[in-house]
Amino acid sequence: MGRLALLSVSDKTGIVDFARQLVEEFEFELISSGGTAKTLQDAGIPVTKVSDYTGSPEILGGRVKTLHPRIHGGILARRDVAQDRAELENNEIRAIDLVVVNLYPFEETIAQPNVTLADAIEQIDIGGPTLLRASAKNFAHLTVLCKPERYDGYLKELRDNKGEVSPEFRQARAAEGFSMTMAYDRAISNYFASLQPSEEQPAQFTLSGKQHQSLRYGENPHQSAAWYRTGTQGWTSATQLQGKALSYNNLVDLEAARRIITEFPANEPAAAVLKHTNPCGVAVSNSLVDAYEKAFAADSVSAFGGIVALNQPIDVATAKVLKKTFLECIVAPECELEAREILASKSNLRVLLLPDLQQGEPQTVKVIAGGFLLQAADDRAADPDTWQIATQKQPTPLQMAELSFAWKVAKHVKSNAIVVTRDRVTLGVGAGQMNRVGAAKIALEQAGEQAKGATLASDGFFPFDDSVRTAAAAGITAIIQPGGSIRDKDSIQAADELGVVMVLTGVRHFLH
C-alpha cells in the first residue's frame, strides 16, 4: 500500500503534472474532492473521490466535502503515539502523508465591481482553512503544500532524501499554511467591517500581506526591504511599460504622487512633479502637455530626477516633453502607442500605467515601538460650500477657484506647509518646516516677484498674524487656511487691514 496524498485545490496551476509525478515516480495513492478530482480524472490520473474514501457524500452543494474523521484523523494522527496509531487502525483510517490545498478566491471575488454579499459569502472557504491548519499543526508527521511553486521543491526533497521529506522543509511549509489562513481570515474580517462603516476604529486590526517583490534595499542601502500586497488592487495591479525595477523610495514617492493627482478630475488635465513625497510643481491647464510644462517649470531644479503623475493618458506631445529631462518614474492611467515608442528611447525611465488612480486604502498605518497607529485616510474632498469667508473683502469666482487649487495641493505637502499659487500653478512650496513663518518665507522666496497677486494656502491655522503680514508684504492677495486658532481674530484683522481675502475651511490637513 503506497503513501496517501489529499489534493483539494482551487488554484489548479501545475496540479496535473505534480499529481502524475507523485503517482508514477513515488507510488502515491491520491484522494481528491470536487473539481480537483475531475481535473485529475480527465487527465487520466488514478484518484479516489473523497466521498468514496469517507463513505459520506458531498452535501449542501459542496459546502461539506472534507470535514470527516477519516480525513482529519489521517492528518492529525501522531505517528509516534501508540494510542493514535491504534485509533487509526480501529477506525480503519489511513495516515495521510501529503496535503495539497489552497483556498477559494475570496479577495479576487470582492475586488470585482458590483460584487454582492451573497457572492462574497460563497467564496468563504471552510474546508480548505481547516485542512491547512490541521496539516500545519501536525507538520512533524506530514507535509502541507498551499502554493503551486512549492511542488517542485517537494519532489526534490523526495528525490534527494530517498523518499523522505526533511523536517525543515515540512516546518517551512507549515509556516506558509498558517500565513495563508491568517491573511485569508483578515481579508474576510476586513470585508465585513467595511460593510459597517463607522467613525470608530476596530477593537482589533490585523495587517498581513503576501510578498510581491524583494527590493534591493529600503530608504538607504543598509536597510533590507520587500514589497507586500494586501489585495488585488493598487500598485501591484499597475503595468510597468519600461525601466528598471522599482525601488522602495520609488514606491513611496509614487504613492504620494497618486494621492495628489487624484485631487483633480480626469476631465481637467493635471500634472504633479514630486521629490521625496513633496510636490515641487503642480499645475492644471487646458492640455496635458501644458499642465506638465507648467508643473515642471514651477521648480525645474527640484524636478530633476523626480516623479511625475498625470491624470490623463500620455499623448505624443507630452511624451516628447517628458523625455527631455531625467526623471525617475512617470505614472498615468494610460499611454498612447506612439507615445510609448517615444518614451522607450529613455530605457531606464520607469513608466507605469495605473488605470484607476483612485485605488487608495481607507486607512493608514504607522508603526511605533510596540505597536502601530491606525487612522482613517485623509480623503475628505475640498468643499467650498462649507468654507467661511472671514474678511470684509470677498473673493472673486476666479479667486475661489485658485483658493481651491492651492488648498488641494497644500493637503499633500509635509507640515508645516505653505503653498503659493497663481493661475492654478504652484509658484512656491514651503514643506516640513518647524514653524509656519519659516515655511511661508521659503514659499514666498521661491515665488519671488510672481507672488504679487498670488494665493497662499496653509495646511494649519495661523497662531499669530505674522505670516499674514509677511504674505501681504510679498503681494499675496488671498489666503486659505483651516482657522480654529484662539487668535484667529488677529489674523483676520490683519487681513482686513491689508486688504487680503481670507477663507477658513474648518478642516486641517496636517501631514507628518
Side-chain angles (χ1 to χ4, degrees):
M1 186 177 292
R3 285 174 289 187
L4 189 61
L6 169 63
L7 281 58
S8 180
V9 292
S10 177
D11 178 0
K12 295 176 176 57
T13 303
I15 195 64
V16 170
D17 289 340
F18 181 56
R20 181 172 284 114
Q21 291 179 81
L22 289 176
V23 171
E24 295 179 357
E25 187 174 350
F26 298 103
E27 299 181 343
F28 270 84
E29 294 179 39
L30 308 181
I31 56 176
S32 190
S33 62
T36 308
K38 185 177 186 307
T39 297
L40 299 180
Q41 288 172 337
D42 291 347
I45 298 172
V47 60
T48 300
K49 289 185 177 180
V50 165
S51 56
D52 294 334
Y53 176 75
T54 62
S56 298
E58 294 185 9
I59 62 173
L60 307 181
R63 283 189 168 194
V64 178
K65 296 189 285 285
T66 58
L67 299 171
H68 193 281
R70 291 203 77 194
I71 298 295
H72 286 280
I75 291 172
L76 287 165
R78 295 159 292 187
R79 321 294 165 81
D80 56 353
V81 175
Q83 183 176 342
D84 284 12
R85 295 197 304 271
E87 289 181 358
L88 289 185
E89 185 175 350
N90 293 339
N91 290 281
E92 298 182 347
I93 297 173
R94 290 180 61 183
I96 296 175
D97 292 282
L98 171 65
V99 174
V100 183
V101 60
N102 49 57
L103 310 178
Y104 293 169
F106 179 81
E107 289 183 276
E108 290 81 354
T109 298
I110 62 173
Q112 296 172 5
N114 303 317
V115 65
T116 66
L117 177 59
D119 292 334
I121 287 174
E122 284 309 307
Q123 292 302 318
I124 297 176
D125 204 329
I126 302 300
T130 306
L131 289 172
L132 264 178
R133 290 179 62 84
S135 306
K137 176 176 180 175
N138 206 29
F139 73 87
H141 303 286
L142 76 160
T143 306
V144 59
L145 303 177
C146 61
K147 298 181 178 181
E149 56 263 36
R150 300 304 185 197
Y151 297 166
D152 287 344
Y154 179 77
L155 295 172
K156 185 176 187 300
E157 284 280 319
L158 294 178
R159 293 178 186 125
D160 292 349
N161 301 312
K162 299 180 180 179
E164 299 299 323
V165 179
S166 67
E168 294 79 12
F169 185 88
R170 295 198 304 269
Q171 182 172 329
R173 303 293 76 77
E176 289 179 343
F178 286 127
S179 293
M180 179 174 282
T181 58
M182 177 186 68
Y184 198 72
D185 286 340
R186 170 192 172 273
I188 295 169
S189 175
N190 287 353
Y191 171 72
F192 275 88
S194 72
L195 301 179
Q196 304 171 54
S198 170
E199 294 297 322
E200 299 296 323
Q201 297 300 330
Q204 183 166 341
F205 183 85
T206 303
L207 181 67
S208 66
K210 180 179 181 181
Q211 187 173 132
H212 176 71
Q213 184 179 319
S214 177
L215 302 174
R216 286 182 61 198
Y217 53 81
E219 284 185 283
N220 300 290
H222 62 275
Q223 295 172 266
S224 62
W227 175 9
Y228 292 82
R229 66 172 178 84
T230 57
T232 58
Q233 296 181 309
W235 288 107
T236 56
S237 67
T239 300
Q240 184 170 348
L241 296 181
Q242 62 179 66
K244 298 180 290 185
L246 294 169
S247 70
Y248 179 98
N249 289 332
N250 288 157
L251 287 161
V252 172
D253 284 335
L254 280 166
E255 175 58 13
R258 184 199 65 78
R259 288 198 299 265
I260 193 169
I261 206 66
T262 58
E263 295 285 348
F264 307 103
N267 62 354
E268 190 176 67
V273 185
L274 285 86
K275 203 73 169 290
H276 304 304
T277 73
N278 278 307
C280 46
V282 182
V284 172
S285 191
N286 295 322
S287 69
L288 191 66
V289 63
D290 194 50
Y292 169 69
E293 287 183 318
K294 288 177 177 177
F296 178 83
D299 186 353
S300 58
V301 174
S302 298
F304 184 82
I307 306 288
V308 173
L310 307 167
N311 70 340
Q312 292 185 346
I314 304 171
D315 54 24
V316 170
T318 308
K320 288 179 178 178
V321 179
L322 285 166
K323 67 172 289 187
K324 291 181 179 179
T325 307
F326 168 63
L327 299 169
E328 284 283 349
C329 306
I330 301 169
V331 61
E334 191 45 81
C335 184
E336 294 177 2
L337 183 60
E338 191 176 346
R340 296 186 188 196
E341 295 171 354
I342 293 168
L343 294 172
S345 63
K346 306 274 285 190
S347 59
N348 288 333
L349 172 62
R350 302 166 178 90
V351 179
L352 292 98
L353 305 182
L354 189 62
D356 184 3
L357 290 165
Q358 301 286 343
Q359 295 181 41
E361 295 295 332
Q363 295 154 314
T364 63
V365 178
K366 188 178 290 290
V367 176
I368 61 173
F372 58 86
L373 307 176
L374 182 71
Q375 67 172 350
D378 186 8
D379 55 7
R380 180 174 294 186
D383 185 4
D385 290 340
T386 65
W387 295 349
Q388 174 192 354
I389 301 170
T391 50
Q392 297 172 13
K393 190 169 186 178
Q394 301 292 296
T396 66
L398 283 177
Q399 281 181 315
M400 282 299 288
E402 193 68 33
L403 287 163
S404 179
F405 172 79
W407 183 244
K408 290 177 180 180
V409 176
K411 173 182 175 181
H412 298 276
V413 178
K414 294 288 186 181
S415 299
N416 287 312
I418 296 290
V419 174
V420 176
T421 76
R422 188 171 60 196
D423 298 329
R424 297 193 298 174
V425 179
T426 56
L427 303 175
V429 178
Q433 297 306 299
M434 286 64 73
N435 64 75
R436 202 158 297 280
V437 175
K441 287 180 177 178
I442 291 172
L444 291 167
E445 182 179 339
Q446 187 181 8
E449 288 299 310
Q450 296 183 84
K452 290 181 171 60
T455 294
L456 181 146
S458 171
D459 67 332
F461 61 62
F462 296 123
F464 304 101
D465 66 2
D466 46 7
S467 293
V468 176
R469 296 186 181 280
T470 300
I476 295 294
T477 57
I479 293 174
I480 186 168
Q481 55 124 332
S485 169
I486 60 173
R487 301 176 67 101
D488 272 350
K489 64 180 187 302
D490 293 348
S491 294
I492 296 168
Q493 184 177 333
D496 279 333
E497 175 190 328
L498 298 165
V500 174
V501 170
M502 180 174 287
V503 172
L504 308 181
T505 66
V507 177
R508 188 183 74 184
H509 285 305
F510 278 178
L511 180 61
H512 296 111

